[in-house]
Amino acid sequence: MSVQEYLDKHMLSRKIEDAVNAAVRAKTPDPVLFISNHMKKAVSSVITKVKARQILDSRGIPTVEVELYTNKGVFRASVPCGDSTGMYEAVELRDGDKGTYLGNAVTKAVKNINEKISEALVGMDPTVQLQIDQAMIDLDKTEKKSELGANAILAVSIAACRAGAAEKEVPLYKHIADLSGKMNAILPVPAFTVISGGKHSGNSLPVQDIMILPTGAVRFEEALQMGSETYHHLKAVITEKFGANGCNVGEDGGFVPDISRQVLPLCLTILVFHIIDQRTLPLTPVREGLDIVREAIGRTGYNDKIKIGIGVAATEFCIGTKYDLEFKSPNKSGQNFKSGEDMIQMYKDLCIDYPIASIEDPFDKEDWEHSKRFCGLGLCQVVGDDLLMSNPKRIERAIHESACNSLLLKINQIGTVTEAVDVVKMAKEAHWGVVVSQRFGETNDCFIADLAVALGAGQIKAGAPCRGERVAKYNQ
């Protein structure tokens, strides 16, 4: 083939002429650079390579990072990791060799990306997110993505989403909004973790976390300021009451004061016993936690603008059909179980006594009946986390039974961007709230910030207003 034949076949002369004319019209001082960029834009982007590696998450546990290459750039993504994998969520693929990272290495997932997923996706248009995600789902062939690993699939899905946004020359959140078929992106209310409990801390607080929600903020910038100021006032309150050691933080930045060491004087104990219904006494650690958070809010002057949220994670202390709120106190554990009805009464009391706007997982993941009954009271937002596990079938059942009224979306529980968008649509159509959530094992990847804005989720839970991997989301 002669040079002229080659030029004619690819219409290069015409394309170059168009680029030169565009440079002249733009009166660019650097025509070579302008023509180069113009020619790049004239070429449709395709995936040319996908390369994965093992990195560490915020807890020092391995996770997957991906670089997806197109002829227009390199796009990176890393995935968060949960503390555990529920039976209804997508499966993280780990090596299981106890001699390496205690069995948590992800070299198998990395290999699946480099050898299988990359081959399947090379040549695809990064803007067709649905086709990319479906190609990986078809390649995996399992219901919970256990063959390739949800951690492998999600990392590639996010990287491809970034490549698609770059190809369209729009911000990531606008690209995701376009994928969802809606463009009314909004900034969410942040749910800041301020006190950590449950199995993630050594104190006696049975619930997993206490959060603050600056619902009265006019702008996200103002909400971030409120969260930060309250967090620092809370540090001062804790220091006064528990000493400097009480200001140690949990995995997502929440303080972990040892409220189990707070002993009430005998006379005050007797008074409290008479004032508070006996059924609520095991919640004393929760009330202590709520009290110090309320005191910190009071010091900021934002009393009417900040609400409180509780992440209960009741599955952690459910035994059969009963709840052991003292499961973290060896000398009391198992001696004073609570029924689902008792728990409902406790939550009702807390909603009366504190400005609680949201309660997450108030019952066990299989306790549909009490979840439904509590949600029906309309006292606050009732968020499904373990109850739903971002699983479409579980969400559909919860909608049908009115078992909660808000979805906690954890993207690694479902495994692709497309499926995350779909479950948010389900929740929105049911007039639910949506909380886009972090995981305990996070990276500096701030994809969920763009996701929350793009889908109009309304709320984002990314941890405390401290620690780099948490603040990265709020800053974005």
Side-chain angles (χ1 to χ4, degrees):
M1 182 183 294
S2 68
V3 172
Q4 188 60 50
E5 288 173 334
Y6 185 83
L7 292 173
D8 292 341
K9 178 181 178 180
H10 297 285
M11 295 186 293
L12 290 179
S13 297
R14 184 166 187 171
K15 291 176 180 176
I16 293 172
E17 183 180 353
D18 289 342
V20 171
N21 287 334
V24 172
R25 288 194 299 271
K27 298 179 181 179
T28 175
D30 190 340
V32 174
L33 179 61
F34 183 94
I35 291 170
S36 174
N37 289 333
H38 186 91
M39 294 295 287
K40 281 184 179 180
K41 292 178 182 179
V43 180
S44 297
S45 181
V46 296
I47 297 171
T48 58
K49 183 173 71 171
V50 185
K51 176 69 176 176
R53 65 179 65 87
Q54 177 175 270
I55 64 170
L56 298 183
D57 68 17
S58 58
R59 304 165 301 172
I61 295 176
T63 189
V64 178
E65 182 179 75
V66 160
E67 285 179 343
L68 184 142
Y69 294 72
T70 73
N71 49 337
K72 292 189 176 179
V74 183
F75 306 92
R76 180 177 292 179
S78 55
V79 294
C81 302
D83 188 58
S84 61
T85 302
M87 65 180 75
Y88 302 107
E89 64 183 90
V91 177
E92 290 179 346
L93 183 61
R94 297 193 179 273
D95 297 357
D97 177 8
K98 296 297 182 182
T100 306
Y101 284 111
L102 307 178
N104 290 315
V106 292
T107 61
K108 291 180 181 178
V110 167
K111 184 177 181 181
N112 284 340
I113 294 171
N114 292 338
E115 296 183 2
K116 297 179 181 179
I117 294 177
S118 180
E119 181 179 349
L121 299 189
V122 166
M124 292 188 71
D125 179 349
T127 64
V128 290
Q129 188 74 39
L130 173 60
Q131 294 178 28
I132 291 170
D133 290 342
Q134 191 60 53
M136 292 189 285
I137 291 170
D138 293 343
L139 185 63
D140 180 88
K141 296 186 177 68
T142 67
E143 183 180 357
K144 296 195 285 187
K145 302 177 178 65
S146 57
E147 180 66 27
L148 298 176
N151 45 351
I153 292 173
L154 179 61
V156 176
S157 182
I158 294 174
C161 194
R162 287 199 167 101
E167 169 64 13
K168 291 163 61 175
E169 297 184 335
V170 298
L172 179 57
Y173 75 90
K174 286 189 176 180
H175 176 50
I176 300 171
D178 186 40
L179 293 175
S180 72
K182 60 185 298 182
M183 295 301 291
N184 59 335
I186 59 171
L187 288 166
V189 173
F192 299 105
T193 302
V194 291
I195 293 184
S196 294
K199 66 179 182 180
H200 297 287
S201 75
N203 57 24
S204 66
L205 186 65
V207 301
Q208 186 166 272
D209 47 38
I210 297 175
M211 298 162 281
I212 55 170
L213 292 80
T215 56
V218 177
R219 302 179 310 279
F220 185 85
E221 179 183 6
E222 183 184 0
L224 189 61
Q225 178 183 336
M226 288 181 180
S228 176
E229 291 178 359
T230 305
Y231 185 80
H232 288 286
H233 277 292
L234 179 60
K235 182 177 181 180
V237 172
I238 291 173
T239 301
E240 293 168 11
K241 294 181 181 293
F242 304 95
N245 288 340
C247 295
N248 292 333
V249 298
E251 291 176 340
D252 62 351
F255 294 117
V256 287
D258 191 4
I259 55 180
S260 64
R261 294 181 182 273
Q262 288 288 89
V263 180
L264 293 173
L266 179 59
C267 60
L268 186 55
T269 302
I270 295 172
L271 177 61
V272 169
F273 183 85
H274 285 292
I275 293 175
I276 303 175
D277 189 295
Q278 187 174 358
R279 290 174 301 177
T280 66
L281 285 180
L283 273 180
T284 298
V286 178
R287 286 180 174 272
E288 280 193 69
L290 292 171
D291 284 340
I292 60 177
V293 169
R294 185 163 57 180
E295 182 175 344
I297 294 171
R299 293 189 184 187
T300 67
Y302 298 133
N303 300 65
D304 298 329
K305 294 185 176 182
I306 296 179
K307 301 296 184 182
I308 296 177
I310 305 175
V312 181
T315 297
E316 293 180 2
F317 52 82
C318 181
I319 302 174
T321 60
K322 301 291 185 179
Y323 296 89
D324 184 7
L325 285 161
E326 296 171 329
F327 77 106
K328 299 176 72 176
S329 302
N331 59 328
K332 296 181 180 179
S333 181
Q335 297 180 18
N336 194 20
F337 289 124
K338 297 299 170 188
S339 67
E341 286 299 313
D342 293 333
M343 297 293 286
I344 289 176
Q345 185 59 49
M346 291 176 184
Y347 297 135
K348 287 170 66 176
D349 292 341
L350 290 178
C351 287
I352 291 171
D353 296 340
Y354 301 93
I356 293 174
S358 179
I359 297 181
E360 180 184 313
D361 271 350
F363 301 95
D364 178 66
K365 66 179 182 295
E366 301 300 344
D367 193 347
W368 292 85
E369 182 58 31
H370 288 104
S371 293
K372 176 180 177 179
R373 291 171 65 179
F374 179 63
C375 185
L377 297 176
L379 297 175
C380 64
Q381 174 179 255
V382 181
V383 185
D385 178 11
D386 291 336
L387 180 74
L388 305 177
M389 298 185 191
S390 303
N391 182 299
K393 294 179 181 178
R394 304 275 292 186
I395 296 170
E396 185 177 12
R397 178 180 174 183
I399 291 172
H400 178 71
E401 298 187 16
S402 299
C404 58
N405 54 31
S406 186
L407 163 69
L408 192 80
L409 175 66
K410 295 175 176 176
I411 53 174
N412 73 323
Q413 287 184 328
I414 192 161
T416 67
V417 173
T418 298
E419 291 168 295
V421 169
D422 287 344
V423 296
V424 169
K425 285 182 178 179
M426 288 179 64
K428 290 277 191 176
E429 288 170 2
H431 305 290
W432 277 15
V434 177
V435 185
V436 174
S437 177
Q438 62 168 10
R439 300 308 309 266
F440 278 102
E442 270 294 340
T443 72
N444 288 330
D445 193 313
C446 54
F447 179 79
I448 64 169
D450 285 84
L451 185 70
V453 171
L455 301 182
Q459 299 165 78
I460 184 169
K461 178 183 177 182
C466 84
R467 295 184 53 132
E469 74 282 357
R470 315 292 160 178
V471 172
K473 280 73 167 172
Y474 296 129
N475 286 342
Q476 175 68 3

